[in-house]
Amino acid sequence: MTPHGGVLLEAWCQLLYDGLVAGGVATVVVSPGSRSTPLVLAASGRADLEVVTVVDERAAAFYALGRARAEGRPLALVRTSGSAAGHDLPAVIEARAAGVPLVVLTADRPHELMDARAPQTIDQLRLFGEQAVGFFDLGLPDPTPRALRAVRRVGMQAAELAKHPRPGAVQVNVRARKPLEAPATEGPGEAEFRTDVEQLREEGAPEVKSLDDLRAAFASARRPLLVAGPAPVALASELETQRSQLRALGVPVVIEATSQLRFGPGGLGAAGLEAVLRHEAWRRCLEPDLVVQLGEPPVSTGLQRALSEWSSARWAVAPRGYPDPDSRSHVVRAERGPALEALVAASREEGFLDAWRRAEAAAAAAVEEGSSPTPPGEELSEGIVTRWARDAVPAGGRLMVGNSLAVRHLDLYLPPGGSALDVLHQRGASGIDGLIAGAIGASQASPCVLLLGDVSARHDLGALALGTLAGELTVVVLHNGGGRIFEQLPLARQLGDGHPQLEPFLTEDARSLVPVAEALGWTATRVGTTSELREALAAGPSPRLIEAEVPPHGARDDMEGFVRSAA
């Protein structure tokens, strides 16, 4: 049951302040106003916050600026909705120019009052424009645990961003819908909600920590797990050192294909781990007490689910940003290499590494049995196309991978080791657009093989006109009829095959892309058997496009088979 609006607002604001305090805020400067009532009430009841009231907003902003400049830490300004925060602009300008940290909390009205002449209601999004060094819009309060963790994390991020990398003012827009105050008596379910919030607050807000803090946490853990997620291409000498460090630690490590640590001599990781992590029994057996994420969040759906279920302490190592959608991790501002140098071997719970090795072996055996090469002339599968595309990368070349299913196929089907291989990926915003154009650009630096799905290819058909700019480039399109990743989502399992409500997601389209590529000067062919694929990969001038026709439900059927085999 959704708690009373005032109760939810109270919890929302308290968690926001938890994050601000974790980020170094100790003083809140307030000016009178109605919509900011929940923010003022939440601050005034805390022992860890000093609350200063200044009636004039402009004077309040410069008062906060002066204290922040003198104390060397961010202060928070609380503003009611409408034009009130406009008085902060001169101080915000000075904060940016002088490098003084501030956090401006702008209370705002709900979306339904926008552009309807409601009083004290204006567009407050990025109110200070480029003069603010950061901006967050919290949206309306949400009682779900993930949202409650996120508002606390935003508080920490806002305080940190006000300090680094360029000190200045950060705006946090806080929407509030009436009622603004909690009721005198609790309604149904509200006592339980308050208890859940208190438990969440007892966990502690995520913080920015040091490498020394990480080393201490790692040394005291009994069942630590390291996760190496997507990372940019690195020098081979650096990767060799990092692989040696990971092996020397003697703890389980999940190595994703886009981490750059998977392929080449001494490559780490295991194919098919996704299948194991979809099993509840395996997830219970493999639960760590500490997870250290090196770099970006993992791509694996199974690992994401496990991380959301496990109660493990969480740390994320990243040189910038906050790479944890669950908002549970302490973050260490470092690159992967220095973080590995900081970790030291420590006493571990006996058998934990062995449990992960058994899981990896079960996964690898299931995948090897289900995706081994078929005789010449046999129907293609997504596993075969993925493996052969990897093998087709010439010496000194790179494999570029699309998002959606393609990037997951690397983790599922490709074992570690083999020849060295840089993996280019578009995991910044994780979109499917611009992949062909990006591969054409990358091919100017080195030979490139791009593996992507048919929907991604259609999104970038116009880029085929850039073929004259390409270096040595092979584009391999997994043509499975479109949008097949959605067949593995809960909605598809609930509705069943062929349900009309799935049609908008699947975007089924059997039409070939070959005529378009040929019309724009590419060598292009559509293949459907192992013999045809082998011939197409071995011949033809660059740039070339190979459209590999695979069974529409092959990816889903493979995964279901691997899960059964790995059980």
Side-chain angles (χ1 to χ4, degrees):
M1 179 176 294
T2 302
H4 180 277
V7 172
L8 176 55
L9 264 172
E10 179 185 16
W12 194 250
C13 294
Q14 290 290 4
L15 288 164
L16 175 62
Y17 283 127
D18 284 350
L20 288 168
V21 169
V25 172
T27 303
V28 178
V29 180
V30 305
S31 297
S34 173
R35 193 62 48 163
S36 58
T37 297
L39 286 165
V40 175
L41 289 177
S44 62
R46 298 179 63 114
D48 53 4
L49 283 176
E50 174 194 10
V51 178
V52 178
T53 301
V54 180
V55 174
D56 182 278
E57 281 100 353
R58 184 177 182 278
F62 277 101
Y63 169 85
L65 183 72
R67 282 195 60 172
R69 179 183 280 116
E71 296 176 2
R73 62 182 181 185
L75 273 73
L77 281 165
V78 172
R79 293 290 171 256
T80 195
S81 64
S83 61
H87 298 284
D88 295 332
L89 180 58
V92 169
I93 292 172
E94 173 64 15
R96 181 185 180 94
V100 179
L102 283 177
V103 178
V104 184
L105 307 179
T106 53
D108 200 356
R109 308 240 166 177
H111 297 284
E112 66 267 19
L113 296 182
M114 300 300 298
D115 299 312
R117 298 294 180 89
Q120 295 183 334
T121 303
I122 65 170
D123 183 357
Q124 297 184 184
L125 301 186
R126 301 190 181 274
L127 185 62
F128 306 115
E130 292 298 318
Q131 298 305 320
V133 298
F135 170 78
F136 297 89
D137 184 21
L138 292 181
L140 284 166
D142 184 331
T144 60
R146 195 174 197 185
L148 295 171
R149 285 192 177 94
V151 68
R152 182 177 62 181
R153 181 256 303 165
V154 166
M156 181 275 291
Q157 276 186 279
E160 187 212 359
L161 189 57
K163 296 180 288 186
H164 306 289
R166 176 174 183 170
V170 174
Q171 180 193 358
V172 181
N173 202 52
V174 187
R175 296 187 185 273
R177 178 184 287 140
K178 290 184 176 181
L180 303 177
E181 304 87 5
T185 58
E186 290 183 337
E190 284 171 7
E192 182 180 355
F193 173 74
R194 289 183 186 274
T195 299
D196 291 342
V197 170
E198 285 306 311
Q199 290 176 348
L200 176 61
R201 295 186 66 192
E202 288 172 6
E203 293 178 6
E207 297 180 56
V208 176
K209 299 279 193 176
S210 69
L211 284 173
D212 287 340
D213 295 328
L214 174 61
R215 183 190 296 112
F218 183 78
S220 63
R222 302 291 297 177
R223 295 162 59 89
L225 171 69
L226 269 63
V227 177
V233 172
L235 297 176
S237 58
E238 183 179 344
L239 297 179
E240 182 179 351
T241 299
Q242 291 178 10
R243 291 189 185 112
S244 298
Q245 291 168 328
L246 286 166
R247 281 190 291 268
L249 289 173
V251 301
V253 185
V254 176
I255 303 290
E256 295 212 334
T258 51
S259 69
Q260 316 302 339
L261 296 165
R262 184 81 166 266
F263 306 115
L268 301 175
L273 196 58
E274 170 81 8
V276 166
L277 291 172
R278 292 195 179 204
H279 271 286
E280 183 180 357
W282 271 115
R283 289 197 300 276
R284 286 199 305 268
C285 171
L286 300 174
E287 180 170 357
D289 60 358
L290 174 72
V291 176
V292 179
Q293 175 185 307
L294 302 171
E296 296 301 307
V299 175
S300 164
T301 304
L303 181 56
Q304 291 173 6
R305 179 176 177 180
L307 289 173
S308 67
E309 292 180 1
W310 290 337
S311 59
S312 324
R314 296 271 292 275
W315 292 67
V317 176
R320 67 195 65 85
Y322 187 88
D324 177 12
D326 287 331
S327 304
R328 291 174 54 188
S329 298
H330 297 307
V331 64
V332 177
R333 291 278 167 258
E335 298 286 355
R336 189 168 66 189
L340 287 174
E341 292 176 9
L343 299 179
V344 294
S347 178
R348 310 296 175 205
E349 181 175 309
E350 188 175 352
F352 185 54
L353 179 57
D354 290 339
W356 273 89
R357 286 175 173 166
R358 289 196 301 272
E360 291 175 347
V367 171
E368 190 61 35
E369 181 180 353
S371 60
S372 56
T374 56
E378 290 295 311
E379 182 181 60
L380 290 173
S381 68
E382 305 213 14
I384 291 172
V385 175
T386 301
R387 289 188 172 194
W388 288 11
R390 185 248 192 269
D391 294 341
V393 178
R398 289 167 168 170
L399 176 65
M400 182 169 175
V401 62
N403 284 315
S404 200
L405 273 181
V407 67
R408 290 165 172 83
H409 283 350
L410 298 195
D411 281 315
L412 184 64
Y413 295 113
L414 299 186
S419 57
L421 180 66
D422 289 338
V423 180
L424 303 178
H425 51 87
Q426 198 162 280
R427 294 304 296 175
S430 304
I432 64 171
D433 47 340
L435 291 164
I436 295 176
I440 291 172
S443 71
Q444 289 290 309
S446 61
C448 185
V449 174
L450 168 64
L451 177 70
L452 77 169
D454 54 324
V455 175
S456 298
R458 289 193 196 97
H459 268 263
D460 205 24
L461 281 179
L464 293 173
L466 305 178
T468 55
L469 300 178
E472 186 177 342
L473 174 63
T474 300
V475 175
V476 180
V477 180
L478 280 162
H479 199 310
N480 54 20
R484 296 300 168 180
I485 192 172
F486 295 102
E487 291 184 330
Q488 299 187 35
L489 298 181
L491 175 66
R493 293 193 293 271
Q494 176 184 335
L495 296 176
D497 284 344
H499 197 285
Q501 285 184 287
L502 284 179
E503 291 179 6
F505 296 94
L506 298 181
T507 58
E508 295 186 1
D509 193 335
R511 291 176 295 178
S512 175
L513 307 178
V514 168
V516 180
E518 288 179 331
L520 292 172
W522 289 57
T523 301
T525 182
R526 182 163 181 152
V527 300
T529 67
T530 53
S531 300
E532 293 171 344
L533 177 60
R534 192 178 297 279
E535 181 179 350
L537 288 170
S542 175
R544 56 183 172 173
L545 181 144
I546 301 171
E547 187 176 69
E549 188 177 11
V550 294
H553 309 298
R556 182 196 64 187
D557 294 345
D558 274 359
M559 178 58 73
E560 291 176 352
F562 297 157
V563 171
R564 287 193 298 270
S565 299

